[in-house]
Amino acid sequence: MISAILSLTVLGLVLGFGLGFAAKMFAVATDARVAEIEALMPGTNCGQCGYPGCPGAAAAIAAGEATVTICPPGGKALAAALAARLGVAADLSGVSDAGPKIATIAEEICIGCCRCIKECPTDAIVGAAKQIHAVMREACTGCGNCIDRCPTEAVKMQPVPVTLQHWVWPKPQAEAAWA
Amino acid sequence: MGLIEKVFSLLEPAHWGVHPADRKRPAADVPVRGLPLPARLYVPLQQHIGAAARPVVLFGQTVLKGQLLAEAQGATSAAVHAPTSGIVSAIGDISAPHPSGLSFPAVTIEADGDDRWADAGIAVDPFGLPPQEVATRVAAAGVVGLGGATFPSALKLGLGLRAKIHTLIINGGECEPYLSCDDRLMRDAPDEIVDGIRIMLHATGATKALVGIEDNKPEAIAAMTAAARDFPAIRIASVPARYPMGSEKHLFSALTGQEVPADGRTTDLGALVHNVGTAWAVHEALRQGRPLVERIVTLNGGAIDMPGNIRVPVGALVADVLAFVGLKTEPARLVMGGPMMGNRLPHARVPVVKGTSGILALTANEAAQLDPGPCIRCSSCVRACPVGLLPLEMSARIGIDDLNGAVAFGLKDCIACGCCSFVCPSRIPLVHYFNHAKGELAAQGRAQLRNESAKRLAAARIERLARDTQEKAAAAARRKAERAAQKAAEKAAAGTTAAGAAAEAAQQASKEVVA
C-alpha cells in the first residue's frame, strides 16, 4: 500500500517536472498579435486571400508574409485598421473599395438545387429545394465561394451598383507638385 | 475660452467668413413670376435627408394637385405630393440634380392642364391644436427645411418638445451670393411668414423667436418688422452681411452672442433654427391644408436673359425653367443652389426639388476655373474659415490619403462652406478635398459596419451548423434507441410465441400418444 502510493507520487513528480521543463525549454513562441488581428478580420473564412481562412491570414499578416491589404471583403477600412494596429504604413491606393462585388443569381436559370446555400459563409443566400434562390445584398461579402457550386452557372459576381447615397466625391486631380 | 484667448479676442474682432460680391440685384427687385405649367413633371421620391418615400400611387392613376404620391417611410423621411393634377405616366429612375449624374426614383405626372386641387382638410385654428398635432400635420404636408439641408421639419418641431427649446431662430440670412428667393418671400409674404413663425412657436413651446436678416436686404427687414409689429414674441434683427451668416451655428452666435460647441447643436443651448421659407410652408400646411408642392426659385447668372425669382412646381425640369427666363448665351456651368455651396448640374434635364433655392446659369467668365498652384502657406484660408480650422493642413493630409490626420485637425467640424477655396490665392480646391475625405470616411464607416455584420452572420452560421449536427446526432441516438427497443420487444414477442408453439406441439404429441 505505502509502496504503491510512494511509487505513484514519485512518478507523478518526475513526469510533472519533466513536462514543466519541456514546456519552458521547447516552447514555441506564438505571436499575441495573431489573435488581435483575427478579431479585426471578417471571420467568414472565405479564402479570397489565398490563406486557409481568417486565422491563417492573421498569422501570415503577423509574420509579415502578407500585406495588410490582402482581405478583399474587409476593404480599405480593415486595411487601415490593420496598418494602425501593426504600426506600418499601408499603401491604400491599391485597395479597390470602389468596386466591391457581390453574388447575384440569374433567376431564369436557377434550378433550386440548394448547393450554393450550403457554401455561403454568411447565410446570405435564401431559397429552398426547387425554389428560385436569391442573394441578400446586404449580407453578401463577395467571397465567391458559391460560384463554382452552381450547376447551371446562374450565380455571377457583379459590381455593387453605385447609388446617390454611396457616391463619393473623387479626389481632386493635379497638385502633384506639392501633394 | 482661456484668459489669453479672451484678451486676444478683445484686441481683435472676429474675422471669420468672407465678403463675396453679392450679385443679388437686379434679380431680387423683379417681382415673382409663375412658371407656366410644364406638360410633364418629374417628382423625385428622395427630396429630403433620410430614407426615400414609398410610392402609394399606381401607373396610369389620375391624381389631383396636392394628393399624396409617396408616404414617408422610416424615422427620418418626408411625404411627397402631386404638384399638379394629371395622370401618373411613369414610376422609375430619372437623372438626379447631383454632380455625379446618377439617377434616382421619381413619379412622372402627365399634367392635364387643369391644375385642380384635391379637397383640402377643413381649416382649423392651429392654436387650438395640441403641439404634437401641429407637428403631425406639418409631416403630412411633406414640409422639409427649405434653407437647403432639407431635413424633415416635423422631426425638428417634435425635437423642440423633447429638448426644452426656449428660442426659435428664423434664418433669413440668405448669405449665398446670387440668391434672393428668401428675400423675395419676406418682401411679398411677410404676414404669412410671421403666422408660420407663431404656429412654430406654438408647436415647439418656445417663448420667443428671433428672425435674423442680413443688412443687405433693407426692404425685407422693413416688411418683416411691419408684419411682426403686433407680436412682441417675434423680434426682427438685422445681422451684418457676411458669408456664411446663414449657417445655423453662425446665425445663432450673431443673434445671441453664444457659441455652439463643436460637437453640439443649437438645440443643446435651447434654440431651434428654421428657414423663413419653412415658416411660410408651415403656414400653408396649417392654414390652407396645402402640402409643399411649389417654391420660389432664384434664376440668376450672366447667361440668363431675364433673371429673377420664379414660382416653380416641384418636379419641373431645369430646362423648362431656363426656357421660360431665356438664355443670352450657352451657360458654361449650371449650378443648383448658390455659387458657394451649390451643386454643379450634369445637364438641364433634372427636376427642381423642394430644396432648390436657385438655378444659376454661369458664363465662362463667372465660372472661371483656373489651374491650382502650390500652397504658399499664406494662411488666408485660416483667417477665412468660419469654424476656426486649418484648411491648408487638412488638405495637405488628405492629399497623401492621411484621412485620420485630417480628422485630427478637425475635418468633422468643417461645414463645407467653401470660404477657404474662395480666398485661396493658389486656387486650390480645398473644400473639394474635404468633401472627398468626408465621403471616404463615411464609406469606410459603412464598410466597418458591414464587416461587423458579416462577422456576426458567420458566427451565427457556425453556431447553427453546430446545433444542426448536435440535433442530428441526438435524433440518430433516439432512433437507435427506438430501434433497439423495438427489436427487444420483437424478441420478447417471438419468445412467447415460440413457447406457445412448443406447448401446442406437446399437446398435439400427447393427443397422438393418446390416440
Side-chain angles (χ1 to χ4, degrees), chain B residues 39-45 57-61 63 69 82-84 86-94 104-111 315 317 349:
Chain B
R40 243 182 239 116
L41 292 168
Y42 304 83
V43 189
L45 300 177
V57 289
L58 298 172
F59 170 76
Q61 190 176 332
V63 292
L69 288 183
T84 187
I87 293 166
V88 176
S89 62
I91 301 176
D93 283 3
I94 59 160
F104 66 162
V107 175
T108 306
I109 294 177
E110 203 85 31
L317 290 183
R349 293 197 59 78

Side-chain angles (χ1 to χ4, degrees), chain B residues 59 66 68 94 227 313 363 390 415 418:
Chain B
F59 170 76
L68 186 69
I94 59 160
T363 58
L390 301 175
I415 57 171

Side-chain angles (χ1 to χ4, degrees), chain A residues 39-43 74 76-77 118 120-123 137 139-141 163-172 175 178, chain B residues 46 96 98-100 102 374 398-399 401 428-429 432-433 435-436 439-440 444 446 450-451 454-455 457-458 461 464:
Chain A
L40 289 174
M41 306 205 58
K76 259 184 204 172
K118 290 187 190 117
C120 182
T122 52
D123 282 338
R137 199 180 273 177
C140 177
T141 59
T163 63
L164 279 182
Q165 284 76 30
H166 298 149
W167 184 80
V168 174
W169 273 100
K171 193 170 155 184
E175 286 137 303
W178 66 278
Chain B
Q46 174 98 60
H98 191 263
S100 67
L102 289 168
I398 296 164
D401 284 326
I428 299 169
H432 188 167
Y433 274 99
N435 284 339
H436 158 73
E440 275 292 312
Q444 285 180 16
R446 279 195 299 273
R450 210 184 155 85
N451 243 0
K455 204 178 276 186
L457 286 170
R461 177 171 189 265
R464 176 173 64 77

Side-chain angles (χ1 to χ4, degrees), chain A:
Chain A
M1 175 69 185
I2 300 282
S3 65
I5 290 172
L6 272 180
S7 61
L8 279 175
T9 309
V10 169
L11 200 64
L13 281 173
V14 168
L15 289 176
F17 275 109
L19 282 171
F21 179 73
K24 278 263 185 275
M25 194 63 197
F26 309 112
V28 180
T30 55
D31 200 332
R33 294 175 306 174
V34 174
E36 268 184 65
I37 293 171
E38 208 188 316
L40 289 174
M41 306 205 58
T44 51
N45 299 329
C46 68
Q48 279 186 83
C49 53
Y51 288 93
C54 296
I61 293 170
E65 292 160 15
T67 60
V68 291
T69 55
I70 57 164
C71 180
K76 259 184 204 172
L78 177 66
L82 287 175
R85 172 63 195 85
L86 296 172
V88 296
D91 177 21
L92 296 182
S93 57
V95 186
S96 64
D97 239 5
K101 291 192 164 181
I102 54 165
T104 51
I105 294 178
E107 295 182 351
E108 61 276 14
I109 45 175
C110 172
I111 54 168
C113 68
C114 290
R115 284 188 213 179
C116 55
I117 294 180
K118 290 187 190 117
E119 284 300 317
C120 182
T122 52
D123 282 338
I125 307 176
V126 288
K130 303 226 166 117
Q131 307 287 320
I132 294 171
H133 301 345
V135 179
M136 292 195 288
R137 199 180 273 177
E138 287 305 307
C140 177
T141 59
C143 70
N145 287 356
C146 47
I147 302 294
D148 295 337
R149 300 293 302 165
C150 183
T152 61
E153 293 186 5
V155 190
K156 286 256 159 32
M157 296 306 283
Q158 256 158 21
V160 181
V162 180
T163 63
L164 279 182
Q165 284 76 30
H166 298 149
W167 184 80
V168 174
W169 273 100
K171 193 170 155 184
Q173 297 296 308
E175 286 137 303
W178 66 278

Side-chain angles (χ1 to χ4, degrees), chain B residues 106-272:
Chain B
V107 175
T108 306
I109 294 177
E110 203 85 31
D112 60 11
D114 294 344
D115 210 24
R116 199 146 41 88
W117 277 95
D119 284 336
I122 304 143
V124 288
D125 177 22
F127 299 101
L129 296 171
Q132 203 59 57
E133 176 62 20
V134 176
T136 311
R137 287 185 182 219
V138 169
V143 179
V144 299
L146 295 183
T150 64
F151 188 81
S153 301
L155 286 178
K156 259 171 128 175
L157 291 178
L159 191 78
L161 291 174
R162 286 198 302 278
K164 294 201 172 58
I165 298 298
H166 51 72
T167 308
L168 199 61
I169 307 267
I170 301 297
N171 191 343
E174 196 163 59
C175 54
E176 278 261 14
Y178 287 97
L179 300 187
S180 53
C181 58
D182 289 350
D183 182 10
R184 210 55 245 185
L185 191 66
M186 286 188 283
R187 290 197 216 178
D188 294 344
D191 295 315
E192 285 85 344
I193 295 173
V194 166
D195 185 59
I197 294 171
R198 289 178 59 228
I199 296 171
M200 289 206 277
L201 280 175
H202 172 61
T204 53
T207 50
K208 63 174 190 289
L210 293 173
V211 185
I213 305 171
E214 276 193 352
D215 57 11
N216 58 0
K217 297 183 253 304
E219 299 92 341
I221 295 173
M224 288 293 288
T225 311
R229 193 180 297 126
D230 298 335
F231 307 106
I234 302 172
R235 191 165 69 81
I236 312 296
S238 162
V239 291
R242 178 194 283 188
Y243 182 86
M245 188 54 88
S247 146
E248 76 173 30
K249 286 183 177 182
H250 293 91
L251 184 65
F252 175 80
S253 296
L255 288 173
T256 65
Q258 281 177 288
E259 198 170 333
V260 186
D263 49 354
R265 299 188 159 275
T266 54
T267 45
D268 300 338
L269 299 171
L272 194 60

